[in-house]
Amino acid sequence: MPAPRKYPDELRERAIREVRTTGRPVAHVAKDLGIHKEALRQWVRQAEADHGERDDRLTSVERDELRQLRKENAELKRANEILKAASVFFAQEIDRPRTRPSR
């Protein structure tokens, strides 16, 4: 489960909009709004990636898809390990000589 967000979404959107529309430095906008400047810098970078203005970051959609694919990959690996263990177990059962119970 992701950690709770420290800043509300409305504040994030307002801060990003202010940086992008006014051209003011991130540090000044962050100080005015009481936000850590590096947090705001990351938000602005992510917004730029989401709008196709940056190629060095994944968009939010791509990031969510990657997270989901990694989760699915881990589940498939666990299932594969279980199937491998089961196949070893059943192979041993098949190879074991069968004896008739004595009467």
Side-chain angles (χ1 to χ4, degrees):
M1 181 185 315
R5 292 184 167 213
K6 183 175 179 180
Y7 301 105
D9 290 337
E10 298 81 20
L11 179 61
R12 288 174 181 246
E13 292 168 10
R14 178 179 167 207
I16 292 167
R17 187 173 50 248
E18 190 168 332
V19 168
R20 292 174 55 104
T21 58
T22 64
R24 292 179 58 209
V26 170
H28 293 169
V29 173
K31 185 177 180 186
D32 291 346
L33 296 175
I35 302 169
H36 193 276
K37 65 182 178 181
E38 288 306 314
L40 179 54
R41 190 177 321 280
Q42 291 297 325
W43 300 345
V44 170
R45 287 179 181 161
Q46 189 62 52
E48 290 171 347
D50 290 346
H51 289 98
E53 299 167 9
R54 293 183 75 103
D55 293 331
D56 61 336
R57 295 177 68 103
L58 296 175
T59 65
S60 296
V61 172
E62 291 169 334
R63 188 177 305 271
D64 291 341
E65 181 182 11
L66 181 60
R67 186 178 301 117
Q68 181 61 33
L69 289 172
R70 284 180 174 164
K71 181 179 176 182
E72 184 179 333
N73 192 25
E75 290 173 11
L76 291 171
K77 284 182 178 180
R78 282 191 298 273
N80 221 7
E81 290 301 317
I82 291 169
L83 291 172
K84 284 180 185 178
S87 67
V88 168
F89 173 79
F90 287 117
Q92 289 172 350
E93 287 293 315
I94 290 172
D95 290 343
R96 188 172 294 152
R98 304 213 181 259
T99 58
R100 290 187 157 195
S102 59
R103 291 185 189 187

